[in-house]
Amino acid sequence: RGCLPPQSDPPEFAPPPSCRRPSKRHRRTRALMESAAQHTAMLSPRGRSPCTFYMLNADFVRKFAGKNMPFFQEIRDKFANELVEVSLDYTNVVKGTYLETTLAVSHRWMQSEDPDPDGEQLKALKDFLNSPDGKKIERVWIDSACMPQDQPKGSCSEADKKDFKRMLAEVNRLYLGSTVLILLDLSYVSRFWTQFES
């Protein structure tokens, strides 16, 4: 009853729709954003600096004809124009600036050296991007394709390793400030990283 009229008002008074109590989800989101904004003020200079991530053009993913998405190194070598660098500023992350246009994918690796051997995760991703909910997405981040991986073995340079560590340290920005697509299966809830991401 957060919007009841004062006692002096006549009993037939009804609050306008704009005064209705926000939903539980809305209140929780607002509280999280306010908390994050307070945290921003206490961040170190490094935390306040933008962090650059590699992302895929969403249209490339929508139209990709392969069975599964290649690893980062292969995309960089064969599809360099589809890999873009995006700088995520923490203040804009908190404001939700990237929510409509940026998608981060949370999934588990089905095998230790191949996250999606049967292509089911890519199919689910493409289905979402081609749905009404995904039509505004312009950029997609998924770890295997957007962070340097040592696949094939020995292909990771020292610069790649530094990039990986830098992005991993700031990966929370992606899950806080982007739309997150969770590719859920029975083992998802048993993994640390998937729990951190969701």
Side-chain angles (χ1 to χ4, degrees):
R1 300 196 182 203
C3 213
L4 285 176
Q7 293 291 337
S8 58
D9 286 345
E12 65 273 8
F13 174 86
S18 60
C19 282
R20 289 177 186 155
R21 180 187 288 251
S23 68
K24 184 176 180 182
R25 180 179 178 186
H26 178 79
R27 293 196 304 273
R28 181 172 170 245
T29 301
R30 187 178 213 173
L32 286 171
M33 292 181 78
E34 288 173 355
S35 174
Q38 292 170 3
H39 176 66
T40 302
M42 300 183 290
L43 286 173
S44 65
R46 178 190 170 204
R48 287 194 296 267
S49 301
C51 182
T52 300
F53 293 89
Y54 295 107
M55 296 188 188
L56 295 170
N57 284 319
D59 283 340
F60 168 72
V61 181
R62 287 183 180 100
K63 299 171 184 175
F64 186 73
K67 180 181 177 182
N68 39 35
M69 190 58 62
F71 284 107
F72 173 83
Q73 278 90 328
E74 184 178 345
I75 291 175
R76 183 174 58 186
D77 292 343
K78 296 181 179 178
F79 309 101
N81 291 336
E82 306 298 345
L83 199 63
V84 295
E85 291 186 67
V86 179
S87 183
L88 298 187
D89 173 81
Y90 200 89
T91 301
N92 285 316
V93 164
V94 173
K95 288 180 180 178
T97 303
Y98 312 106
L99 279 172
E100 281 197 350
T101 58
T102 305
L103 179 73
V105 180
S106 176
H107 67 120
R108 74 179 182 94
W109 284 45
M110 304 303 287
Q111 297 175 4
S112 61
E113 295 185 356
D114 190 345
D116 187 25
D118 57 9
E120 288 299 312
Q121 294 184 5
L122 177 59
K123 181 179 181 301
L125 172 56
K126 290 169 71 174
D127 285 348
F128 174 79
L129 290 173
N130 289 309
S131 74
D133 289 334
K135 65 182 179 182
K136 292 184 179 179
I137 298 297
E138 299 172 3
R139 297 173 294 273
V140 176
W141 184 92
I142 183 167
D143 57 357
S144 57
C146 298
M147 293 179 73
Q149 309 288 330
D150 196 22
Q151 296 290 342
K153 289 290 185 185
S155 64
C156 218
S157 68
E158 287 303 314
D160 286 338
K161 291 174 184 177
K162 287 181 180 178
D163 274 348
F164 182 91
K165 288 180 181 178
R166 173 182 55 79
M167 289 184 278
L168 187 63
E170 301 289 348
V171 75
N172 62 307
R173 298 185 189 214
L174 289 164
Y175 296 105
L176 176 63
S178 307
T179 294
V180 179
L181 177 65
I182 295 176
L183 301 181
L184 185 67
D185 65 13
L186 292 176
S187 295
Y188 182 95
V189 294
S190 69
R191 304 293 180 91
F192 167 78
W193 275 112
T194 50
Q195 293 302 293
F196 170 79
E197 292 163 2
S198 62

